[in-house]
Amino acid sequence: MSGPFPVEDPAVARLSARPVDPFDRIDAITVRLPFVSPFGTSVHTWTCKEALLLRVESDGVVAWGECVADPDPYYASETTTTALHLVRDFLLPAVEPGLTFGEVEARFRRVRGNGMAKAAVENALLDLAAKREGVPLHALLGAEARPVPSGISIGLQDTVDALLAAVEEAVERGYHRVKMKIMRGRDVDVVRAVRERFPDVRLMVDANGDYAPGDARHLAALDAFDLMMIEQPLSYSDIVRHADLARELATPLCLDESIHDLADALAAVDIGACRIVNVKQGRVGGLLESMRIAAACAPRGIGVWSGGMDETGIGRAVNIHLQTVPGFTLPGDTSETSRYFHEDLVEPPVVLRPDGFIDVPAGPGIGVTVVPERLEKYGVGAVRLR
Ligand code: OSB
Ligand code: MG
């Protein structure tokens, strides 16, 4: 049943009214960072992180925005190349200092979809605003600093032993919940093996849309393993069948790929397609839209957590700041830097405290510093946009 469309969240309204700061130049830089180990999913195996970065300079202040798109369209339709096209030819031309963030967002709405490109611009402008004001990003979002819970996303492994070893390491490190990727033919037996060995771990699975509506009975076998949720079992393009599936399963469903904005989230929640939403700020078009989704889900009793896109330290910091916002109620896909990269672009790296929590950076803006030599080392292309 559809409820009323939510009124604007007060924190979002305040940020929307804020003018965009003046800037002197904007560059796009593409980087490629090798992963410590390949990340396998039902849709693709990634061996490195290619990311499009936006660098904004303003009176000697340097701000950053990382676009979460991959170089390929296997997780989402956007790629690093399409995002550069959209940023250069359609989004940046619509940005003028002095417009409010709300007005910029309204201009961006004329461009359909392409949330990851929009988010990259918004992220950079918000980092600039926070740095020029001398406050951490989470304060700009209206949230109090609080340690955020950790979560790990373990890719498909070649053997069950390798998976058990990865889960064991995660449990020893103190991660608050473990997510494992599943796909057709690598699901029930593998999950059973993990559950038998780790009876108490908070466990969930992510299928990246590998199943079809006819698989409901098969997926119901997962109900035996006390999973927190099943993430995106069916296609990214099919919210309605998730509602049908949800009625067949005891385990809550969570949507990732299907949710591109607040309207998608409300549609999914209203028809019972999910009880939990994975908010990736890039996928939904930025931090303002992420806050709207969290604010709309909280009173509906819908769990929200921040997903990840194996970001470099720039995007990882953004995800950590976002999770201080009320409404982010569950551990997200936020893990230590050392799991992904031998060397990241930024300092300091994300580390887990002994209690498994992650401290939100305290410095201005995103609160991490890009190391120029590493940008040089991992950069594969740069172009001045403004
Ligand atoms: O489906 O959540 C996903 C990474 C890339 C693309 C899609 C997904 C993921 C992850 C990893 O699960 C999240 C992370 O560790 O950043
Ligand atoms: Mg997912």
Side-chain angles (χ1 to χ4, degrees):
M1 196 57 77
S2 75
F5 204 81
V7 295
E8 189 76 312
D9 174 63
V12 177
R14 269 194 303 279
L15 199 46
S16 297
R18 186 191 174 92
V20 168
D21 294 73
F23 45 80
D24 303 316
R25 72 177 278 171
I26 302 184
D27 296 272
I29 302 159
T30 304
V31 293
R32 214 171 276 156
L33 277 80
F35 282 144
V36 169
S37 54
F39 186 65
T41 73
S42 65
V43 292
H44 190 58
T45 297
W46 287 276
T47 56
C48 75
K49 178 66 196 180
E50 179 178 306
L52 174 72
L53 309 177
L54 298 181
R55 178 187 186 277
V56 183
E57 215 177 296
S58 165
D59 296 331
V61 174
V62 176
W64 294 91
E66 172 174 348
C67 180
V68 305
D70 286 315
D72 52 77
Y74 303 139
Y75 165 77
S77 56
E78 294 182 80
T79 72
T80 43
T81 307
T82 68
L84 178 57
H85 167 48
L86 268 288
V87 169
R88 184 186 53 207
D89 299 332
F90 296 99
L91 299 176
L92 279 186
V95 176
E96 288 164 43
L99 291 177
T100 65
F101 276 90
E103 287 165 341
V104 169
E105 231 192 346
R107 288 187 172 194
F108 280 8
R109 254 177 234 124
R110 184 172 174 215
V111 172
R112 296 188 176 188
N114 292 284
M116 294 178 176
K118 291 172 182 171
V121 176
E122 186 228 46
N123 278 206
L125 295 175
L126 287 173
D127 184 33
L128 179 65
K131 280 175 173 159
R132 283 177 54 112
E133 193 171 318
V135 300
L137 181 59
H138 62 82
L140 198 76
L141 303 182
E144 304 272 335
R146 60 166 166 134
V148 304
S150 59
I152 190 168
S153 175
I154 298 177
L156 292 170
Q157 303 292 311
D158 290 336
T159 65
V160 172
D161 281 346
L163 174 63
L164 293 173
V167 176
E168 176 156 37
E169 196 188 331
V171 170
E172 273 167 11
R173 295 288 305 150
Y175 279 99
H176 293 123
R177 70 99 168 107
V178 171
K179 156 170 146 183
M180 53 181 280
K181 295 289 187 179
I182 58 168
M183 64 184 288
R184 282 162 178 277
R186 294 164 81 171
D187 45 31
V188 178
D189 293 343
V190 189
V191 176
R192 181 183 298 111
V194 172
R195 184 45 96 203
E196 276 174 2
R197 177 85 169 271
F198 304 95
D200 301 323
V201 71
R202 295 181 85 195
L203 187 65
M204 58 171 288
V205 296
D206 185 1
N208 290 104
D210 204 41
Y211 297 89
D215 293 324
R217 281 172 60 114
H218 176 69
L219 288 169
L222 294 173
D223 281 341
F225 307 124
D226 189 26
L227 301 177
M228 295 172 75
M229 70 196 87
I230 303 174
E231 181 178 345
Q232 197 71 43
L234 308 179
S235 169
Y236 66 92
S237 63
D238 202 345
I239 292 179
V240 170
R241 296 300 155 214
H242 280 97
D244 296 339
L245 179 62
R247 284 189 289 273
E248 305 282 323
L249 303 181
T251 310
L253 297 189
C254 167
L255 289 179
D256 172 358
E257 285 94 322
S258 288
I259 307 300
H260 300 95
D261 56 18
L262 174 64
D264 280 349
L266 289 171
V269 167
D270 284 346
I271 67 165
C274 65
R275 282 194 263 163
I276 296 165
V277 177
N278 168 345
V279 171
K280 291 183 182 169
Q281 63 84 22
R283 197 192 63 239
V284 302
L287 295 166
L288 290 172
E289 193 74 353
S290 299
M291 290 168 69
R292 289 188 189 102
I293 295 172
C297 285
R300 290 168 167 79
I302 300 298
V304 169
W305 52 278
S306 167
M309 287 292 290
D310 305 320
E311 290 93 340
T312 79
I314 297 171
R316 190 170 307 280
V318 169
N319 292 344
I320 292 168
H321 284 283
L322 175 61
Q323 287 173 81
T324 64
V325 167
F328 282 80
T329 50
L330 292 165
D333 277 344
T334 316
S335 337
E336 298 171 286
T337 303
S338 59
R339 278 203 62 230
Y340 303 88
F341 310 113
H342 293 296
E343 187 173 63
D344 194 0
L345 294 176
V346 309
E347 287 291 336
V350 172
V351 293
L352 296 198
R353 314 192 315 186
D355 60 6
F357 282 86
I358 295 168
D359 282 319
V360 60
I366 56 175
V368 293
T369 309
V370 174
V371 181
E373 303 76 51
R374 301 193 198 157
L375 198 61
E376 185 77 23
K377 182 169 167 189
Y378 299 109
V380 292
V383 54
R384 180 167 180 175
L385 301 178
R386 283 279 278 262

